[in-house]
Amino acid sequence: RAEEKVTVHFLNRDGKRITGKALTGESLLDVVVNNDLDIDGFGACEGTLACSTCHLIFEEAVYKKLGAVSDEEMDMLDLAYGLSDTSRLGCQVCLRKDLDGMILRVPDVISDARVDSEKESST
Ligand code: FES
């Protein structure tokens, strides 16, 4: 097994830093869910690229390491509030050893693209 633990810090909306760990290959959504991190509304569509509540803002140097954004992610990112040049959707970013210790900012406001259409279909 080549899996390794990666540590990720989140700067939450209240200014507090919260930290989670996950294995390489897991997504940032996995980090939040598996560590039970208290980020309100995060990951509402469970990683199916339907909500943009997993919007996170990266440090520029880290962002550059992440690689290409898919068209599907881009479309959903466009719907996120407070979009920045270094925004990504957390459910689409997988952990790598070289991302260990990165700090991500949680945007102040989230938007859930599904709220208007189908509110009750989370399972
Ligand atoms: Fe919904 Fe990432 S969790 S788009």
Side-chain angles (χ1 to χ4, degrees):
R1 310 196 129 225
E3 291 167 341
E4 291 180 83
K5 283 263 184 192
V6 178
T7 300
V8 185
H9 306 286
F10 297 84
L11 210 48
N12 212 349
R13 298 188 187 96
D14 57 6
K16 289 211 184 81
R17 185 190 282 203
I18 48 181
T19 299
K21 285 185 203 292
L23 297 171
T24 51
E26 293 190 298
S27 74
L28 289 169
L29 176 62
D30 294 328
V31 179
V32 172
V33 171
N34 296 340
N35 291 274
D36 221 354
L37 299 182
D38 186 17
I39 304 177
D40 207 29
F42 193 94
C45 79
E46 295 167 357
T48 57
L49 264 183
C51 72
S52 86
T53 62
C54 60
H55 175 203
L56 290 168
I57 299 171
F58 290 73
E59 296 170 290
E60 200 175 338
V62 174
Y63 180 83
K64 285 186 182 146
K65 291 200 244 178
L66 297 179
V69 184
S70 70
D71 289 345
E72 291 80 11
E73 181 180 349
M74 196 53 94
D75 287 348
M76 200 43 70
L77 263 177
D78 277 341
L79 302 174
Y81 293 126
L83 193 64
S84 79
D85 287 344
T86 59
S87 290
R88 289 290 304 265
L89 293 179
C91 67
Q92 301 301 304
V93 175
C94 289
L95 294 177
R96 305 190 315 237
K97 196 62 198 162
D98 66 330
L99 300 176
D100 193 29
M102 66 179 162
I103 302 175
L104 305 167
R105 196 157 65 75
V106 180
D108 292 333
V109 186
I110 53 167
S111 58
D112 187 340
R114 308 163 310 154
V115 164
D116 294 332
S117 41
E118 33 174 343
K119 217 172 178 175
E120 314 274 272
S121 66
S122 59
T123 46

PDB file of all heavy atoms in Angstrom, residues 2 5 8-9 12-13 16 20 28 41 46 51 59 71 73 78 87 90 92-93 110:
ATOM      1  N   ALA A   2       0.583   2.100  -0.938  1.00  0.00           N
ATOM      2  CA  ALA A   2       1.367   3.326  -1.037  1.00  0.00           C
ATOM      3  C   ALA A   2       0.604   4.513  -0.447  1.00  0.00           C
ATOM      4  O   ALA A   2       0.979   5.654  -0.636  1.00  0.00           O
ATOM      5  CB  ALA A   2       1.710   3.605  -2.489  1.00  0.00           C
ATOM      6  N   LYS A   5      -0.907   9.411   4.835  1.00  0.00           N
ATOM      7  CA  LYS A   5      -1.789  10.417   5.435  1.00  0.00           C
ATOM      8  C   LYS A   5      -1.357  11.820   5.029  1.00  0.00           C
ATOM      9  O   LYS A   5      -0.172  12.141   5.024  1.00  0.00           O
ATOM     10  CB  LYS A   5      -1.713  10.312   6.960  1.00  0.00           C
ATOM     11  CG  LYS A   5      -2.504   9.148   7.503  1.00  0.00           C
ATOM     12  CD  LYS A   5      -3.876   9.601   7.965  1.00  0.00           C
ATOM     13  CE  LYS A   5      -4.605   8.410   8.604  1.00  0.00           C
ATOM     14  NZ  LYS A   5      -6.022   8.684   8.813  1.00  0.00           N
ATOM     15  N   VAL A   8      -4.685  18.473   6.213  1.00  0.00           N
ATOM     16  CA  VAL A   8      -5.256  19.642   5.550  1.00  0.00           C
ATOM     17  C   VAL A   8      -5.845  20.575   6.599  1.00  0.00           C
ATOM     18  O   VAL A   8      -6.547  20.133   7.513  1.00  0.00           O
ATOM     19  CB  VAL A   8      -6.380  19.228   4.571  1.00  0.00           C
ATOM     20  CG1 VAL A   8      -6.874  20.427   3.793  1.00  0.00           C
ATOM     21  CG2 VAL A   8      -5.905  18.145   3.632  1.00  0.00           C
ATOM     22  N   HIS A   9      -5.549  21.855   6.460  1.00  0.00           N
ATOM     23  CA  HIS A   9      -6.123  22.856   7.365  1.00  0.00           C
ATOM     24  C   HIS A   9      -7.178  23.659   6.626  1.00  0.00           C
ATOM     25  O   HIS A   9      -7.000  24.016   5.466  1.00  0.00           O
ATOM     26  CB  HIS A   9      -5.045  23.825   7.850  1.00  0.00           C
ATOM     27  CG  HIS A   9      -3.871  23.147   8.469  1.00  0.00           C
ATOM     28  ND1 HIS A   9      -3.914  22.574   9.717  1.00  0.00           N
ATOM     29  CD2 HIS A   9      -2.622  22.929   7.994  1.00  0.00           C
ATOM     30  CE1 HIS A   9      -2.728  22.035   9.994  1.00  0.00           C
ATOM     31  NE2 HIS A   9      -1.925  22.233   8.963  1.00  0.00           N
ATOM     32  N   ASN A  12     -11.947  28.350   8.648  1.00  0.00           N
ATOM     33  CA  ASN A  12     -13.407  28.348   8.604  1.00  0.00           C
ATOM     34  C   ASN A  12     -13.974  29.768   8.616  1.00  0.00           C
ATOM     35  O   ASN A  12     -13.254  30.733   8.806  1.00  0.00           O
ATOM     36  CB  ASN A  12     -13.939  27.541   9.793  1.00  0.00           C
ATOM     37  CG  ASN A  12     -15.236  26.835   9.482  1.00  0.00           C
ATOM     38  OD1 ASN A  12     -15.869  27.092   8.462  1.00  0.00           O
ATOM     39  ND2 ASN A  12     -15.642  25.957  10.374  1.00  0.00           N
ATOM     40  N   ARG A  13     -15.284  29.868   8.434  1.00  0.00           N
ATOM     41  CA  ARG A  13     -15.903  31.191   8.315  1.00  0.00           C
ATOM     42  C   ARG A  13     -15.752  32.038   9.561  1.00  0.00           C
ATOM     43  O   ARG A  13     -15.716  33.256   9.488  1.00  0.00           O
ATOM     44  CB  ARG A  13     -17.390  31.038   8.002  1.00  0.00           C
ATOM     45  CG  ARG A  13     -17.625  30.337   6.686  1.00  0.00           C
ATOM     46  CD  ARG A  13     -19.069  30.338   6.279  1.00  0.00           C
ATOM     47  NE  ARG A  13     -19.196  29.510   5.093  1.00  0.00           N
ATOM     48  CZ  ARG A  13     -19.560  28.227   5.126  1.00  0.00           C
ATOM     49  NH1 ARG A  13     -19.896  27.661   6.259  1.00  0.00           N
ATOM     50  NH2 ARG A  13     -19.609  27.535   4.019  1.00  0.00           N
ATOM     51  N   LYS A  16     -11.689  30.469  12.630  1.00  0.00           N
ATOM     52  CA  LYS A  16     -10.974  29.388  13.318  1.00  0.00           C
ATOM     53  C   LYS A  16     -10.371  28.424  12.307  1.00  0.00           C
ATOM     54  O   LYS A  16     -10.944  28.156  11.263  1.00  0.00           O
ATOM     55  CB  LYS A  16     -11.936  28.610  14.214  1.00  0.00           C
ATOM     56  CG  LYS A  16     -12.386  29.375  15.434  1.00  0.00           C
ATOM     57  CD  LYS A  16     -12.653  28.393  16.586  1.00  0.00           C
ATOM     58  CE  LYS A  16     -13.209  29.120  17.793  1.00  0.00           C
ATOM     59  NZ  LYS A  16     -14.664  29.357  17.645  1.00  0.00           N
ATOM     60  N   GLY A  20      -7.914  18.431   9.389  1.00  0.00           N
ATOM     61  CA  GLY A  20      -8.311  17.047   9.169  1.00  0.00           C
ATOM     62  C   GLY A  20      -7.208  16.286   8.471  1.00  0.00           C
ATOM     63  O   GLY A  20      -6.302  16.883   7.893  1.00  0.00           O
ATOM     64  N   LEU A  28     -11.084  16.239  -0.879  1.00  0.00           N
ATOM     65  CA  LEU A  28     -11.244  17.181   0.229  1.00  0.00           C
ATOM     66  C   LEU A  28     -12.617  17.035   0.873  1.00  0.00           C
ATOM     67  O   LEU A  28     -12.787  17.325   2.048  1.00  0.00           O
ATOM     68  CB  LEU A  28     -11.024  18.608  -0.264  1.00  0.00           C
ATOM     69  CG  LEU A  28      -9.564  18.897  -0.599  1.00  0.00           C
ATOM     70  CD1 LEU A  28      -9.439  20.218  -1.323  1.00  0.00           C
ATOM     71  CD2 LEU A  28      -8.713  18.897   0.659  1.00  0.00           C
ATOM     72  N   GLY A  41     -22.993  23.232   5.832  1.00  0.00           N
ATOM     73  CA  GLY A  41     -23.518  23.058   4.482  1.00  0.00           C
ATOM     74  C   GLY A  41     -22.552  22.454   3.483  1.00  0.00           C
ATOM     75  O   GLY A  41     -22.880  22.287   2.314  1.00  0.00           O
ATOM     76  N   GLU A  46     -22.826  15.513  -1.955  1.00  0.00           N
ATOM     77  CA  GLU A  46     -21.981  14.330  -1.731  1.00  0.00           C
ATOM     78  C   GLU A  46     -21.034  14.032  -2.878  1.00  0.00           C
ATOM     79  O   GLU A  46     -20.778  12.891  -3.236  1.00  0.00           O
ATOM     80  CB  GLU A  46     -22.851  13.115  -1.409  1.00  0.00           C
ATOM     81  CG  GLU A  46     -23.586  13.302  -0.091  1.00  0.00           C
ATOM     82  CD  GLU A  46     -24.689  12.277   0.121  1.00  0.00           C
ATOM     83  OE1 GLU A  46     -24.915  11.458  -0.769  1.00  0.00           O
ATOM     84  OE2 GLU A  46     -25.326  12.339   1.179  1.00  0.00           O
ATOM     85  N   CYS A  51     -23.677  20.901  -6.649  1.00  0.00           N
ATOM     86  CA  CYS A  51     -24.089  21.898  -5.656  1.00  0.00           C
ATOM     87  C   CYS A  51     -23.155  23.101  -5.507  1.00  0.00           C
ATOM     88  O   CYS A  51     -23.608  24.197  -5.273  1.00  0.00           O
ATOM     89  CB  CYS A  51     -24.263  21.221  -4.297  1.00  0.00           C
ATOM     90  SG  CYS A  51     -22.732  20.727  -3.503  1.00  0.00           S
ATOM     91  N   GLU A  59      -4.425  28.575  -1.638  1.00  0.00           N
ATOM     92  CA  GLU A  59      -3.284  29.470  -1.795  1.00  0.00           C
ATOM     93  C   GLU A  59      -2.792  29.310  -3.228  1.00  0.00           C
ATOM     94  O   GLU A  59      -2.817  28.219  -3.790  1.00  0.00           O
ATOM     95  CB  GLU A  59      -2.174  29.073  -0.827  1.00  0.00           C
ATOM     96  CG  GLU A  59      -2.555  29.221   0.619  1.00  0.00           C
ATOM     97  CD  GLU A  59      -1.501  28.580   1.510  1.00  0.00           C
ATOM     98  OE1 GLU A  59      -1.386  27.352   1.519  1.00  0.00           O
ATOM     99  OE2 GLU A  59      -0.795  29.326   2.178  1.00  0.00           O
ATOM    100  N   ASP A  71     -14.520  20.546 -17.350  1.00  0.00           N
ATOM    101  CA  ASP A  71     -15.611  21.432 -17.767  1.00  0.00           C
ATOM    102  C   ASP A  71     -16.776  21.372 -16.790  1.00  0.00           C
ATOM    103  O   ASP A  71     -17.402  22.380 -16.486  1.00  0.00           O
ATOM    104  CB  ASP A  71     -16.127  21.025 -19.155  1.00  0.00           C
ATOM    105  CG  ASP A  71     -15.115  21.353 -20.238  1.00  0.00           C
ATOM    106  OD1 ASP A  71     -14.174  22.128 -19.965  1.00  0.00           O
ATOM    107  OD2 ASP A  71     -15.251  20.832 -21.356  1.00  0.00           O
ATOM    108  N   GLU A  73     -16.682  20.697 -13.599  1.00  0.00           N
ATOM    109  CA  GLU A  73     -16.368  21.434 -12.377  1.00  0.00           C
ATOM    110  C   GLU A  73     -16.451  22.932 -12.635  1.00  0.00           C
ATOM    111  O   GLU A  73     -16.964  23.694 -11.819  1.00  0.00           O
ATOM    112  CB  GLU A  73     -14.974  21.048 -11.865  1.00  0.00           C
ATOM    113  CG  GLU A  73     -14.623  21.788 -10.569  1.00  0.00           C
ATOM    114  CD  GLU A  73     -13.250  21.440 -10.029  1.00  0.00           C
ATOM    115  OE1 GLU A  73     -12.627  20.484 -10.507  1.00  0.00           O
ATOM    116  OE2 GLU A  73     -12.812  22.157  -9.108  1.00  0.00           O
ATOM    117  N   ASP A  78     -18.814  28.179 -11.569  1.00  0.00           N
ATOM    118  CA  ASP A  78     -19.389  29.442 -12.020  1.00  0.00           C
ATOM    119  C   ASP A  78     -20.586  29.859 -11.174  1.00  0.00           C
ATOM    120  O   ASP A  78     -20.930  31.031 -11.104  1.00  0.00           O
ATOM    121  CB  ASP A  78     -19.840  29.319 -13.486  1.00  0.00           C
ATOM    122  CG  ASP A  78     -18.686  29.541 -14.439  1.00  0.00           C
ATOM    123  OD1 ASP A  78     -17.669  30.121 -14.011  1.00  0.00           O
ATOM    124  OD2 ASP A  78     -18.802  29.139 -15.605  1.00  0.00           O
ATOM    125  N   SER A  87     -10.068  29.260  -6.806  1.00  0.00           N
ATOM    126  CA  SER A  87     -11.176  28.459  -6.280  1.00  0.00           C
ATOM    127  C   SER A  87     -11.231  27.087  -6.942  1.00  0.00           C
ATOM    128  O   SER A  87     -10.996  26.962  -8.139  1.00  0.00           O
ATOM    129  CB  SER A  87     -12.506  29.163  -6.559  1.00  0.00           C
ATOM    130  OG  SER A  87     -12.651  30.317  -5.791  1.00  0.00           O
ATOM    131  N   GLY A  90     -14.092  21.259  -3.645  1.00  0.00           N
ATOM    132  CA  GLY A  90     -13.363  20.313  -2.798  1.00  0.00           C
ATOM    133  C   GLY A  90     -13.587  18.856  -3.130  1.00  0.00           C
ATOM    134  O   GLY A  90     -12.693  18.032  -2.959  1.00  0.00           O
ATOM    135  N   GLN A  92     -13.705  17.597  -5.907  1.00  0.00           N
ATOM    136  CA  GLN A  92     -13.006  17.239  -7.138  1.00  0.00           C
ATOM    137  C   GLN A  92     -11.490  17.263  -6.988  1.00  0.00           C
ATOM    138  O   GLN A  92     -10.766  16.997  -7.942  1.00  0.00           O
ATOM    139  CB  GLN A  92     -13.410  18.199  -8.265  1.00  0.00           C
ATOM    140  CG  GLN A  92     -14.903  18.193  -8.542  1.00  0.00           C
ATOM    141  CD  GLN A  92     -15.391  16.811  -8.935  1.00  0.00           C
ATOM    142  OE1 GLN A  92     -14.881  16.221  -9.878  1.00  0.00           O
ATOM    143  NE2 GLN A  92     -16.358  16.280  -8.199  1.00  0.00           N
ATOM    144  N   VAL A  93     -11.029  17.615  -5.814  1.00  0.00           N
ATOM    145  CA  VAL A  93      -9.590  17.698  -5.598  1.00  0.00           C
ATOM    146  C   VAL A  93      -9.160  16.542  -4.703  1.00  0.00           C
ATOM    147  O   VAL A  93      -9.658  16.389  -3.591  1.00  0.00           O
ATOM    148  CB  VAL A  93      -9.217  19.047  -4.942  1.00  0.00           C
ATOM    149  CG1 VAL A  93      -7.734  19.082  -4.601  1.00  0.00           C
ATOM    150  CG2 VAL A  93      -9.585  20.198  -5.870  1.00  0.00           C
ATOM    151  N   ILE A 110     -22.060  30.153   0.803  1.00  0.00           N
ATOM    152  CA  ILE A 110     -22.121  29.042  -0.135  1.00  0.00           C
ATOM    153  C   ILE A 110     -23.425  29.106  -0.908  1.00  0.00           C
ATOM    154  O   ILE A 110     -24.405  29.678  -0.447  1.00  0.00           O
ATOM    155  CB  ILE A 110     -22.026  27.668   0.555  1.00  0.00           C
ATOM    156  CG1 ILE A 110     -23.076  27.559   1.662  1.00  0.00           C
ATOM    157  CG2 ILE A 110     -20.635  27.419   1.060  1.00  0.00           C
ATOM    158  CD1 ILE A 110     -23.248  26.154   2.175  1.00  0.00           C
TER     159      ILE A 110
END
